Amino acid sequence: MIGIYFSGTGNTRHCITKFIEVLHLCDTESDPRTTPVISIEDSVPAADALKNEPDLVVLAYPIYYSNLPKIMRDFIVEHEELWYGKKIFIICTMALFSGDGTGVSARLLTRYGAHIIGGVHVIMPDSISDVKLLKYSPGKNRKIISKTDRKLEDAARNLANHTPPREGLSFFAHLLGLFGQRLWFSRKTMRYCDKLKVHTESCIKCGKCISVCPMHNLTLTGHGITAANKCTMCYRCINQCPQKAITLLGKKR
């Protein structure tokens, strides 16, 4: 078993780690130290682990507008030959709703010969910090995480018992995702975004955003931090900027 994931601000990393920990508890003969859990940002180790895994791949990613992050879609497509014959369980994190969050990758992976054995949708605290929608208190967010942890534990135990959940994989779920969000917002996720804004009046040129960007989309020039057109909308730089100087969907963090 291996875990392959993309996580912008840490939500998805938490969820795949939790899920695999419980899977190991269900199988007392397995050793968690032998199960790699690798971000697709480490593309070569992730591809090597995928190539050499004969059994189960746990795939995890956040959902943007009921769609795959562009960075995850690119990883799947670029390594299409490695998915053939693999058993895949999919974990999707979201702030509220996706419909077919697992289905958007499942349909692509099935095309490449993978066998989708199940999937689960889980709610995590919203990371879109420049829009007021879905903002909760720290106490409320802790409750959200606790509820998600319990759902992941149940999903892992069910998978160990050969009755995995199949959330987001039905035709009805496909329609919910398509008409609920994806049809209206597909332009935001079909390509990388060029809307990232670095506010020069607040930026202190510390370089934190450059170091954390998974797309290497930011550079330091004589005029300050400059954003190119390859933002994957992960919100990592926005949430980690010490001066709150970066925005994407909103105007103020």
Side-chain angles (χ1 to χ4, degrees):
M1 175 173 59
I2 61 169
I4 302 287
Y5 74 94
F6 174 68
S7 186
T9 58
N11 282 338
T12 305
R13 182 178 66 241
H14 168 86
C15 291
I16 190 172
T17 302
K18 180 72 174 180
F19 183 83
I20 287 178
E21 284 176 354
V22 177
L23 271 182
H24 280 299
L25 291 175
C26 295
D27 181 3
T28 57
E29 295 182 359
S30 66
D31 183 354
R33 294 172 295 182
T34 65
T35 299
V37 180
I38 309 171
S39 170
I40 61 169
E41 292 172 65
D42 302 318
S43 59
V44 174
D48 286 344
L50 184 60
K51 181 179 180 180
N52 296 319
E53 173 54 41
D55 186 24
L56 173 66
V57 178
V58 180
L59 184 70
Y61 51 85
I63 280 294
Y64 304 154
Y65 297 102
S66 290
N67 213 345
L68 271 172
K70 184 70 164 61
I71 189 175
M72 177 57 81
R73 179 177 293 276
D74 285 352
F75 178 83
I76 292 173
V77 172
E78 287 168 7
H79 300 95
E80 61 177 274
E81 73 283 356
L82 301 181
W83 302 103
Y84 184 82
K86 297 291 192 297
K87 292 188 295 184
I88 314 287
F89 185 89
I90 304 168
I91 300 172
C92 288
T93 60
M94 56 199 67
L96 187 62
F97 163 83
S98 75
D100 61 343
T102 58
V104 288
S105 68
R107 291 187 291 275
L108 186 60
L109 291 163
T110 300
R111 190 188 310 166
Y112 297 148
H115 175 50
I116 311 302
I117 62 172
V120 64
H121 292 169
V122 291
I123 305 295
M124 288 293 280
D126 178 40
S127 63
I128 302 177
S129 53
D130 56 353
V131 176
K132 291 183 179 179
L133 185 68
L134 298 176
K135 294 299 172 289
Y136 302 122
S137 67
K140 170 71 171 179
N141 281 333
R142 283 192 289 271
K143 290 180 180 178
I144 290 172
I145 296 170
S146 179
K147 183 177 180 180
T148 286
D149 283 350
R150 292 193 297 272
K151 184 172 183 179
L152 289 167
E153 290 166 4
D154 288 342
R157 282 191 285 266
N158 287 336
L159 176 57
N161 291 327
H162 308 290
T163 57
R166 295 188 56 82
E167 293 183 351
L169 298 174
S170 69
F171 178 70
F172 179 67
H174 186 185
L175 294 179
L176 285 176
L178 179 63
F179 291 105
Q181 289 191 88
R182 196 161 55 253
L183 190 63
W184 319 112
F185 300 108
S186 61
R187 68 187 184 280
K188 290 183 178 293
T189 55
M190 69 171 52
R191 58 179 61 91
Y192 289 113
C193 181
D194 61 357
K195 305 300 183 185
L196 193 74
K197 298 174 285 292
V198 181
H199 303 276
T200 55
E201 69 277 8
S202 303
C203 176
I204 60 173
K205 304 178 185 178
C206 68
K208 176 73 171 179
C209 56
I210 296 173
S211 66
V212 301
C213 176
M215 298 303 303
H216 308 292
N217 186 52
L218 297 159
T219 55
L220 178 60
T221 70
H223 301 288
I225 303 293
T226 301
N229 60 352
K230 209 172 181 182
C231 171
T232 196
M233 301 176 66
C234 74
Y235 266 79
R236 192 182 296 172
C237 66
I238 297 168
N239 286 320
Q240 294 197 34
C241 175
Q243 298 300 114
K244 303 182 181 180
I246 310 174
T247 57
L248 178 61
L249 298 178
K251 296 181 179 180
K252 181 180 178 181
R253 198 183 89 182

